[in-house]
Amino acid sequence: MARTLIAYFSRADENYFGGAMRYVKVGNTEIVCSIMQELIDADTFRIKMTTPYSPVYMTCIEEAKRDLRAKARPELVSLPASIDGYDTVVLAYPNYWGTMPMAVFTFLEAFDFSGKTILPLCTNEGSGMGSSERDIQRTCPGAAVKAGLSITGSRAADSAESVKRWLSAGGLL
């Protein structure tokens, strides 16, 4: 039986929502992952940095820009022991400076994704997927990277229909 892993990076605290800052207890990407968990049978893994970015949005984006420019690979709190038992990985993350947070690169580079299918999902406030799909293909040679889904973060809680259509197109529903 095919097994699916939902691996995601999400950030709560102060976030940007359509022109305004707002404090949230649950990040947008995590909200979308909760919707996915209701729709498909999948294990989940949260990608968490040992030293998280600042809870202050403007400081966070500067820290993320610094890491991107340095091609940093932030240390993670943990990693799955293996991803060998999974055929499909749903990879969910916010758009940080036109791609994935560098912690997602840390996660991807820890494993061999050859022969696996990756479905990327990116939350953002209008910047779309950026270069993240190409970056996943480059980081995970041998993986089949399917078309990604861009979700407006401030509408994450209302994304069930879009997520359902995307999961169906990706062969998971």
Side-chain angles (χ1 to χ4, degrees), residues 70 112 118 135:
D112 179 3
I118 301 174
D135 293 338

Side-chain angles (χ1 to χ4, degrees), residues 26-83:
V26 178
N28 300 324
T29 307
E30 186 173 358
I31 290 169
V32 178
C33 288
S34 295
I35 292 168
M36 282 191 279
Q37 289 174 302
E38 292 176 19
L39 296 170
I40 62 173
D41 180 27
D43 295 334
T44 59
F45 176 77
R46 183 167 184 176
I47 301 166
K48 291 172 57 174
M49 296 169 35
T50 301
T51 305
Y53 291 135
S54 171
V56 177
Y57 181 78
M58 296 306 290
T59 304
C60 169
I61 64 170
E62 288 305 314
E63 292 168 341
K65 184 193 316 184
R66 176 202 65 216
D67 281 356
L68 175 66
R69 287 182 175 161
K71 294 183 170 57
R73 297 300 186 259
E75 182 179 335
L76 303 181
V77 170
S78 66
L79 283 166
S82 172
I83 62 163

Side-chain angles (χ1 to χ4, degrees), residues 26 45 66 96 109 113-114 117 156 162:
V26 178
F45 176 77
R66 176 202 65 216
Y96 276 19
E109 291 172 357
F113 285 84
S114 297
T117 299
S162 295

Side-chain angles (χ1 to χ4, degrees), residues 66-141:
R66 176 202 65 216
D67 281 356
L68 175 66
R69 287 182 175 161
K71 294 183 170 57
R73 297 300 186 259
E75 182 179 335
L76 303 181
V77 170
S78 66
L79 283 166
S82 172
I83 62 163
D84 292 346
Y86 299 104
D87 302 298
T88 303
V89 177
V90 176
L91 185 66
Y93 48 87
N95 184 321
Y96 276 19
W97 295 104
T99 190
M100 305 169 287
M102 300 314 285
V104 177
F105 285 92
T106 303
F107 170 80
L108 292 175
E109 291 172 357
F111 301 103
D112 179 3
F113 285 84
S114 297
K116 300 193 183 304
T117 299
I118 301 174
L119 281 77
L121 181 144
C122 181
T123 58
N124 59 85
E125 280 301 307
S127 50
M129 300 293 293
S131 66
S132 64
E133 291 165 299
R134 286 187 311 276
D135 293 338
I136 293 166
Q137 289 173 332
R138 188 173 49 252
T139 306
C140 303

